[in-house]
Amino acid sequence: DAGVIQSPRHEVTEMGQEVTLRCKPISGHDYLFWYRQTMMRGLELLIYFNNNVPIDDSGMPEDRFSAKMPNASFSTLKIQPSEPRDSAVYFCASSFGTVNQPQHFGDGTRLSIL
Amino acid sequence: AQKVTQAQTEISVVEKEDVTLDCVYETRDTTYYLFWYKQPPSGELVFLIRRNSFDEQNEISGRYSWNFQKSTSSFNFTITASQVVDSAVYFCALSQPKSLADQGAQKLVFGQGTRLTINP
């Protein structure tokens, strides 16, 4: 079975550029999560969706970050404009929404903003 | 507030030794879930186990075992006869209370992780 698919695996770009990270959740999963991992702050939940609808975006650091889920099989996390402090590994995860199901993570996107 | 503490930042052992990774959590919920994830050097996060707050039975899966004790708010993970392939960062996580708006999702709070190195 295909797992959560993220692209790109690595992204290096200059400060001020727009960055778009992509995620395809596991088919049939109705929850999708975006996390950020840094050395200083560990794993942080940024936003999550249920049935394509954003439920909680309280973890989104600032207005430069936005996330969309236009359909059940695709989500994007966009940073515009990007800053060096956005450098991190960004993970997408999905789960089937019953309360005892684990979240399954993608391989992550390692983002470097120069 | 929900909190997960993994006091061991790094552990290094020689292959075939047993090793225990500690996880202590804080929550005011009576119903919650605890998880362990493994992050190998390749970077992905791999789900290992889920335990709910009403089930305190220890679980064993091959060389892996988990000890859940509500009395001490701990959910420790033991690897028996460790192997080099076990080298990874291990994360313990706790489910946060579901919001009134959404009763389904499990919002996870992660510990800082324990970096385990198994030396040949």
Side-chain angles (χ1 to χ4, degrees), chain B residues 4-102:
Chain B
V4 175
T5 302
Q6 295 180 255
Q8 305 148 307
T9 306
E10 294 191 31
I11 299 175
S12 181
V13 300
V14 177
E15 200 171 19
K16 296 184 184 176
E17 286 186 22
D18 299 346
V19 58
T20 295
L21 310 182
D22 298 333
C23 173
V24 174
Y25 62 92
E26 295 176 29
T27 179
R28 283 187 280 186
D29 289 340
T30 54
T31 301
Y32 52 88
Y33 290 83
L34 294 160
F35 302 79
W36 277 94
Y37 283 85
K38 173 182 179 179
Q39 188 173 37
S42 49
E44 71 273 24
L45 277 159
V46 179
F47 165 72
L48 294 178
I49 190 171
R50 172 195 63 239
R51 173 65 71 209
N52 76 58
S53 53
F54 296 107
D55 183 0
E56 288 195 70
Q57 283 190 359
N58 291 337
E59 178 146 349
I60 299 174
S61 176
R63 297 183 296 105
Y64 295 174
S65 62
W66 290 269
N67 181 263
F68 174 35
Q69 298 210 350
K70 279 180 86 167
S71 60
T72 56
S73 296
S74 65
F75 186 43
N76 297 337
F77 173 31
T78 297
I79 302 175
T80 303
S82 60
Q83 300 176 2
V84 173
V85 292
D86 296 325
S87 296
V89 180
Y90 290 87
F91 292 93
C92 182
L94 169 69
S95 62
Q96 281 186 315
K98 297 178 288 296
S99 67
L100 289 176
D102 180 22

Side-chain angles (χ1 to χ4, degrees), chain A residues 9 31 33 35 37 39-43 45 48 50 55-56 58 91 97-103 105-107, chain B residues 33 35 37 39 42-47 50 91 96 98-99 101-108 110-112 115:
Chain A
R9 286 299 308 276
Y31 281 88
F33 305 81
Y35 289 86
Q37 184 180 33
M39 288 295 295
M40 291 298 296
R41 301 174 67 91
L43 272 159
L45 177 65
Y48 77 90
N50 175 223
I55 301 300
D56 186 342
S58 59
F91 286 99
T98 54
V99 295
N100 62 348
Q101 297 303 308
Q103 294 176 24
F105 285 75
D107 289 346
Chain B
Y33 290 83
F35 302 79
Y37 283 85
Q39 188 173 37
S42 49
E44 71 273 24
L45 277 159
V46 179
F47 165 72
R50 172 195 63 239
F91 292 93
Q96 281 186 315
K98 297 178 288 296
S99 67
D102 180 22
Q103 295 292 305
Q106 297 288 311
K107 287 179 64 174
L108 295 179
F110 284 86
Q112 286 297 101
R115 182 176 299 277

